[in-house]
Amino acid sequence: SDCHYGLLPSRALDAHEESVQSAHARNAALGKLAHSSKNAMTLVVRQRECSGASLRRAKRLQVGRLHPLCYLGASRADAQLSALQTPLLAQLRGWRPKETVFEDGIMKEMRQSCAGMVRRADEDESAAT
């Protein structure tokens, strides 16, 4: 009941992933083990559904804070920096551009030309009512 959950910083995950990939490159047997464990995990996911109680507990978890294990080897300054970075990274992940890659000049011109027609149609509709 006294279990701690939290986020792992992407810096730590990236470093760990690089070390795992280099270990796989050095040892061919690890690749075979990774393949068989991936297949086993696919079977587990396919055959097992979580209970409603588990879903409710998972939704109540506070996932916005760092996992306590991240603080063990880190200095206080690293922990404070990571605490400042977390909200900023969340904002960056949620950011969406106003126009897509395909909307360079052509779509902007089409929107401007159609805006007049839409405005006139709205004016005509409001005048009719």
Side-chain angles (χ1 to χ4, degrees):
S1 70
D2 198 18
C3 209
H4 297 282
Y5 298 94
L7 298 175
L8 296 174
S10 59
R11 289 190 309 238
L13 292 176
D14 292 342
H16 181 68
E17 183 180 4
E18 287 177 14
S19 67
V20 168
Q21 286 177 354
S22 66
H24 278 242
R26 288 190 311 266
N27 190 342
L30 288 177
K32 293 176 184 178
L33 290 173
H35 182 69
S36 64
S37 65
K38 183 178 178 182
N39 288 343
M41 187 64 185
T42 303
L43 286 174
V44 167
V45 169
R46 195 180 316 154
Q47 294 175 355
R48 193 171 168 194
E49 294 182 21
C50 60
S51 67
S54 294
L55 275 175
R56 286 188 291 279
R57 280 193 309 272
K59 287 180 182 179
R60 285 193 310 256
L61 289 176
Q62 294 179 357
V63 292
R65 59 188 181 158
L66 283 177
H67 195 281
L69 290 177
C70 297
Y71 296 114
L72 291 179
S75 68
R76 187 173 178 87
D78 286 342
Q80 289 173 344
L81 178 64
S82 184
L84 291 174
Q85 287 177 342
T86 301
L88 177 64
L89 291 174
Q91 286 178 346
L92 287 174
R93 285 188 194 104
W95 180 79
R96 296 290 178 258
K98 292 182 181 175
E99 52 185 44
T100 64
V101 176
F102 304 108
E103 295 179 351
D104 51 358
I106 299 168
M107 288 300 292
K108 194 177 278 188
E109 290 174 14
M110 287 181 63
R111 282 196 181 145
Q112 288 174 350
S113 66
C114 292
M117 290 187 287
V118 170
R119 188 175 45 251
R120 283 191 295 270
D122 287 342
E123 290 170 357
D124 291 343
E125 186 177 302
S126 64
T129 56

